[in-house]
Amino acid sequence: MVDRPNKPSALAATPQQPIAQASVNIDSAAGRVTATLPTGESVDVLLHGATVISWKDASGDEKLWLSEKAILDGSKAVRGGIPLVFPVFGTAPDHAATSKLPQHGFARISKWEFLGKSTSESKQSGSSAEDTNVKLDFGLSSSSLDEKTRALWPYDFDLIYSVTLERTNLVTSIVITNKSAEAFEFEVLLHTYLRVKDINNVAVEGLEDSKYIDKVDGASTKTQSSSITITGETDRVYTPAKGPSEPVVVTEGGKKALSVVRDNFTDLVVWNPWTEKAASMADFAPKDGFKTMICVEAGSVKAFQTLEPGDAFEGAQTLYTL
């Protein structure tokens, strides 16, 4: 065998490109956590109430409505975004366990703990692009409540709230665990404010043939005959006729804009304050902001849920851009 002093060396292995990772920024001073995907989508969550205050697509378009006068310093609930309602929806003067709690309970006005992040990457079929998802976990427990709130609702519990950002959707899920020696009753709702261009061109589809409580009309029970359009103050609690996995779709100008899919939530609230109600709320701005928002809210609020000692309840919603 001839020894060739100038023989070519072995080819070097082609270096693999590093997988792009989602970035997560924790701003302790502002009390917020921001996550951004490599493709540009982002979500912003306040530790106050674990309130999602922003969700943007890759082009930077905001999907959630936030009042220009929303108070973000932790002194009161946030007007807009996705406030978390627990353990009571509205007020319940006839329900002894929650009758003395503030409107919509204490979860949205409590300081939550950021428990950490997790990310995942999955190869798209037939493409070299990477899908990167990021999940942010937040926690609230009975031990973190102040003495006044503990006195008003003296049950032991753990709440884990997860916000998962994906390229085309946002998933918000909650796990409620009863750590008391006795059962407790609760209601829970994801009070989602969606941003729209013009409420006059908006319709909500997928609730046809569904029964609802019309809170603007003396809490009378009605049945939805067609898609929902907003022409005045609207405050309705729907029990969807179709299953939770059936999308409820928000359209603008006849085009699908966004859909809501529920998981283990029995109800859906549709709300818009319109002119007079918007004018009466000090933190609602601009006053004609009702023209660019609609609330479509997944939850279980038509009746109290009973959670036995040691048991857990889990519910979620997924918001899809269309």
Side-chain angles (χ1 to χ4, degrees):
M1 188 174 193
V2 178
D3 183 19
R4 293 186 297 161
N6 296 321
K7 66 182 178 181
S9 59
L11 293 175
T14 303
Q16 291 186 344
Q17 294 295 322
I19 296 174
Q21 296 287 326
S23 64
V24 176
N25 179 62
I26 304 169
D27 187 338
S28 300
R32 67 177 62 184
V33 180
T34 302
T36 305
L37 297 184
T39 43
E41 297 83 358
S42 66
V43 67
D44 199 352
V45 187
L46 283 183
L47 293 181
H48 177 63
T51 309
V52 180
I53 58 171
S54 175
W55 169 39
K56 295 179 181 179
D57 64 18
S59 62
D61 290 335
E62 180 61 66
K63 301 301 179 183
L64 301 178
W65 185 89
L66 184 68
S67 170
E68 292 178 1
K69 289 189 177 179
I71 297 173
L72 307 180
D73 63 3
S75 61
K76 65 174 297 183
V78 176
R79 176 69 64 189
I82 311 179
L84 179 56
V85 173
F86 175 87
V88 61
F89 174 54
T91 58
D94 297 327
H95 185 258
T98 59
S99 61
K100 296 180 180 179
L101 290 176
Q103 178 170 307
H104 291 331
F106 53 76
R108 67 178 188 152
I109 54 174
S110 296
K111 184 175 181 180
W112 290 59
E113 178 185 0
F114 178 53
L115 302 178
K117 67 169 184 176
S118 56
T119 59
S120 62
E121 299 83 23
S122 59
K123 207 80 165 179
Q124 291 182 345
S125 176
S127 170
S128 60
E130 297 287 341
D131 265 343
T132 302
N133 308 326
V134 60
K135 182 164 75 78
L136 309 175
D137 292 324
F138 303 86
L140 181 71
S141 66
S142 46
S143 61
S144 60
L145 299 180
D146 58 44
E147 292 184 4
K148 179 181 178 181
T149 305
R150 284 280 290 163
L152 295 177
W153 207 71
Y155 301 101
D156 290 330
F157 68 90
D158 276 337
L159 303 182
I160 303 294
Y161 185 55
S162 299
V163 178
T164 303
L165 176 64
E166 302 182 2
R167 290 191 65 183
T168 60
N169 57 273
L170 183 73
V171 184
T172 50
S173 62
I174 187 167
V175 178
I176 304 164
T177 303
N178 183 358
K179 301 184 70 177
S180 297
E182 58 183 315
F184 63 68
E185 294 183 320
F186 71 93
E187 295 174 317
V188 61
L189 182 79
L190 304 177
H191 197 326
T192 307
Y193 289 73
L194 300 175
R195 178 177 289 277
V196 298
K197 293 182 177 67
D198 183 354
I199 193 64
N200 295 302
N201 296 326
V202 169
V204 180
E205 301 176 351
L207 292 170
E208 295 79 4
D209 301 321
S210 299
K211 292 188 179 299
Y212 67 92
I213 297 171
D214 192 340
K215 298 176 72 175
V216 176
D217 189 16
S220 56
T221 300
K222 303 177 181 180
T223 301
Q224 188 68 36
S225 59
S226 60
S227 61
I228 303 166
T229 56
I230 309 298
T231 57
E233 183 183 350
T234 303
D235 193 355
R236 303 174 181 177
V237 181
Y238 284 86
T239 302
K242 300 176 182 178
S245 61
E246 186 69 23
V248 173
V249 179
V250 178
T251 67
E252 291 197 65
K255 297 181 180 180
K256 294 181 179 180
L258 189 141
S259 70
V260 181
V261 174
R262 296 166 294 123
D263 185 356
N264 203 36
F265 282 138
T266 56
D267 308 313
L268 198 81
V269 175
V270 177
W271 182 76
N272 183 290
W274 212 248
T275 309
E276 292 183 10
K277 190 69 173 286
S280 71
M281 294 184 287
D283 61 350
F284 193 99
K287 290 305 177 185
D288 64 352
F290 66 88
K291 296 178 180 179
T292 57
M293 56 76 63
I294 185 171
C295 285
V296 180
E297 316 164 29
S300 293
V301 295
K302 195 172 182 180
F304 280 89
Q305 305 285 315
T306 299
L307 196 60
E308 298 294 335
D311 282 355
F313 169 92
E314 183 172 2
Q317 74 171 5
T318 303
L319 305 175
Y320 292 93
T321 56
L322 301 174

